[in-house]
Amino acid sequence: MDKPKVVLGVSGGIAAYKACELLRRFTESGHGVRVVPTASALHFVGAATWSALSGNPVATEVWDDVHQVPHVRIGQHADLVVVAPATADMLAKAAHGLADDLLTNTLLTARCPVVFAPAMHTEMWEHPATQDNVATLRRRGAVVIEPAVGRLTGVDTGKGRLPDPAEIFEVCRRVLARGVTEPDLRGRHVVVSAGGTREPLDPVRFLGNRSSGKQGYALARTAAARGARVTLVSANAGLPDPAGVDVVRVGTAVQLREAVLKAAADADAVVMAAAVADFRPAVYATGKIKKRDGQDPDPIVLVRNPDILAEISADRARPGQVVVGFAAETDDVLANGRAKLARKGCDLLVVNEVGEARTFGSEENEAVVLGADGSETPVPHGPKEALADTVWDLVVRRLA
Ligand SMILES: Cc1cc2nc3c(=O)[nH]c(=O)nc-3n(C[C@H](O)[C@H](O)[C@H](O)COP(=O)(O)O)c2cc1C
C-alpha cells in the first residue's frame, strides 16, 4: 500500500518550530510529507530544515517548478492537509478562499480531510473576525483544533497556545484512519469524564481505583477528531492533554459531579467513562492518621457518594441529550450490565470485563455497548480508540 501523503502547511507563528516535531512524527510513522510553509513561516524556521526533515522540496510560492503545476497537484494528491500552526491570517485566508501563495492554493485544491491547529495570542483568537472564520471552516467540514491554554510568546499566558505536537499528530492519525468522512460531531459539545476518583482519608492517603483514564482520553481525542467541542473532566489521570480539548481536573467524586453537571448544561452528549468511587470515608482526618502502639486501627466508615450517572440521566440538562455510562464488571458481565442500564436510565452502557491485569491501564479494550432500546453492539478486542469511535457512532445516530 502507498504511504499516506500528508501536506504539512506551516504559517508564520512563533510555534512554527513545534511543527518540526509534528513532521518527524509523520515521517517516522511511514507517512510521506510535503511541507508547504508560508513566506512568513520561513522567518521562524528556514526552508532547509523543512526540506531536510521531509526529504522533499520546499516552496512557498506557486512560481517554482511551474511545469509540475504544484499549486494544483499538491492538494489533489494529498490524503490529509494539516496546517500547524495556523495563524489568524491563514484562517482568514482559508475561510475566504484566498489563493495568493502555494499553501492557500493547496487548501483550495485539496479534497481530503483538512485539519487546522491555530496558535496565536488570546486577543487574536477571541476576536470575532477569527471566531467567524473558524466557524466558517468548521461548517465546511474542516477540523479546527481548539488551541491550548498556557504560556504564549513572551510573558503572556492564556488560550492560544499550539497543542502538544504529539497530540496534534494523534488527531491527524484519527482523521486519516477514518478517511474522508464528515466530521459528524461538528457543532456538538460533548462532555467526557475519565480517570478514577480518589477519596481522601487524611492528607496523605486516599481510597482509589485502578482506572488509568486511557479509555476516557481516547473518547475525548476521537470526539475532537470528529469535530466536537470537548470538555474532558479528568480525575487523577496523569496523561497529556489531548489536542483541542478543554480539560477540567478534579480529584474526588463530589468534585467530578460538580464539574460534569456544569459542563453538561449545554452538552449534546455526556459520556461517563471515569471510575467514580461509590463510597467515600465518612470522616476526613485533617492530620495524618498515626499508628498507635498495641492498638488496632479504627475501622474506616464509608458513606455513599452521589450517583452522577443516574442523576444526569434522570435530569437531562437539554432535551435530546445523550447519556452514556460505563460498567466495569468482574463477573456475570452482560446480566449485570443490563440491570445497571435499567437502574441508571442512561441511553447507552459500555460494559466491559475488568480485572487487575485486564482493561485497566491497557491500550486495548473489548466491550459490548448495550442500548436502552434493547440493542447490543459487540466491540471486538482492539485499541481503546476503536471502542471510542463505536460509542460516538452510536451517539451520533441518537443525536440525529
Ligand atoms: C515574532 C512574531 C510572532 C508571531 N506569532 C504569531 C502567532 O503565533 N500567530 C499568529 O496568528 N500570528 C503571529 N504573528 C503574525 C504573523 O506572522 C502575520 O500575521 C503574518 O502575516 C502571517 O502570515 P501567514 O499567515 O502567511 O503565515 C507573529 C509575528 C511575529 C513578528
Side-chain angles (χ1 to χ4, degrees):
M1 238 170 55
D2 271 356
K3 291 176 183 175
K5 289 179 283 300
V6 174
V7 173
L8 171 60
V10 183
S11 49
I14 196 81
Y17 73 95
K18 293 188 187 170
C20 299
E21 191 194 328
L22 182 58
L23 169 56
R24 282 221 84 114
R25 284 184 184 265
F26 278 121
T27 53
E28 280 169 14
S29 54
H31 300 79
V33 188
R34 176 79 195 236
V35 182
V36 184
T38 63
S40 299
L42 296 187
H43 286 290
F44 296 93
V45 179
T49 301
W50 301 122
S51 187
L53 288 180
S54 68
N56 277 314
V58 166
T60 60
E61 306 306 326
V62 295
W63 308 114
D64 295 330
D65 300 318
V66 175
H67 63 289
Q68 291 175 345
V69 207
H71 76 286
V72 177
R73 290 278 179 273
I74 294 175
Q76 276 179 339
H77 289 140
D79 296 309
L80 174 82
V81 178
V82 49
V83 186
T87 57
D89 175 67
M90 183 50 59
L91 296 173
K93 283 181 173 167
H96 291 86
L98 267 63
D100 63 354
D101 64 4
L102 190 55
L103 179 53
T104 46
N105 276 272
T106 299
L107 286 167
L108 286 182
T109 50
R111 293 295 174 269
C112 58
V114 178
V115 175
F116 290 93
M120 63 200 70
H121 265 79
T122 312
E123 292 84 348
M124 292 174 91
W125 173 250
E126 288 178 349
H127 195 286
T130 303
Q131 288 301 307
D132 283 355
N133 292 329
V134 168
T136 300
L137 292 168
R138 284 183 174 150
R139 199 178 59 249
R140 291 199 197 121
V143 172
V144 184
I145 300 173
E146 287 287 308
V149 176
R151 183 86 186 263
L152 305 171
T153 323
V155 294
D156 305 353
T157 54
K159 187 161 185 170
R161 196 178 151 84
L162 190 75
D164 187 350
E167 293 300 320
I168 299 175
F169 176 71
E170 288 303 317
V171 172
C172 295
R173 208 170 51 76
R174 289 313 300 161
V175 171
L176 264 172
R178 285 175 56 77
V180 187
T181 53
E182 276 283 284
D184 50 7
L185 284 170
R186 85 170 161 230
R188 303 289 191 180
H189 177 208
V190 304
V191 178
V192 177
S193 71
T197 64
R198 290 179 180 178
E199 310 299 321
L201 277 159
D202 70 15
V204 295
R205 302 183 181 95
F206 56 83
L207 297 181
N209 60 65
R210 294 181 186 274
S211 177
S212 66
K214 286 181 181 168
Q215 184 61 63
Y217 274 61
L219 280 153
R221 199 180 290 125
T222 47
R226 293 169 73 150
R229 175 161 75 86
V230 186
T231 305
L232 175 63
V233 179
S234 171
N236 312 298
L239 297 169
D241 290 356
V245 167
D246 283 331
V247 182
V248 181
R249 276 173 238 287
V250 295
T252 64
V254 169
Q255 290 166 356
L256 189 134
R257 173 183 175 272
E258 204 173 299
V260 166
L261 289 185
K262 187 170 171 215
D266 69 346
D268 298 287
V270 183
V271 181
M272 292 289 292
V276 182
D278 292 325
F279 310 105
R280 67 178 181 277
V283 179
Y284 171 71
T286 52
K288 185 179 169 197
I289 301 166
K290 299 267 189 242
K291 257 189 304 201
R292 284 166 299 183
D293 282 345
Q295 283 188 33
D296 286 335
D298 292 336
I300 298 170
V301 179
L302 300 175
V303 292
R304 285 185 90 103
N305 268 328
D307 186 335
I308 310 167
L309 181 58
E311 185 178 348
I312 51 173
S313 299
D315 192 11
R316 312 269 167 140
R318 290 175 70 164
Q321 186 177 69
V322 178
V323 178
V324 184
F326 270 69
E329 302 287 348
T330 50
D331 48 10
D332 234 348
V333 177
L334 277 187
N336 283 333
R338 270 267 162 240
K340 181 167 176 178
L341 176 67
R343 213 168 50 242
K344 303 284 183 179
C346 50
D347 301 293
L348 295 164
L349 190 77
V350 184
V351 187
N352 53 19
E353 196 171 343
V354 293
E356 274 187 39
R358 210 171 161 168
T359 300
F360 287 135
S362 136
E363 302 300 332
E364 307 207 310
N365 210 343
E366 178 181 346
V368 177
V369 188
L370 303 177
D373 54 4
S375 61
E376 267 182 29
T377 311
V379 185
H381 189 80
K384 287 185 170 171
E385 284 171 351
L387 172 57
D389 268 323
T390 302
V391 170
W392 293 125
D393 289 344
L394 295 168
V395 167
V396 165
R397 228 173 282 160
R398 277 156 183 81
L399 285 172

